[in-house]
Amino acid sequence: MSRKCLENKAQMEPKFKVRKYNRCPICGRPRGFLRMFNMCRCCFRSLAREGKIPGVVKSSW
């Protein structure tokens, strides 16, 4: 319940713009957010492995 409350709080417009922070829309994670893909690193990794993000391929060296 507390995570759901924090997700709703993050969606609201803050009184001061510096208080705004990003959350993953899929899982609600506040850290490890990738702005370019609008999701957290965990969700990005799982979706990239499944091939659901166009233009992203697994890199190996």
Side-chain angles (χ1 to χ4, degrees), residues 25-56:
I26 300 165
C27 66
R29 183 181 169 91
R31 297 184 178 180
F33 186 83
L34 304 172
R35 289 184 186 177
M36 188 172 180
F37 298 100
N38 193 34
M39 65 181 76
C40 70
R41 61 179 178 82
C42 303
C43 295
F44 173 77
R45 188 165 186 254
S46 63
L47 291 175
R49 286 179 54 106
E50 295 171 9
K52 294 184 178 177
I53 303 175
V56 176

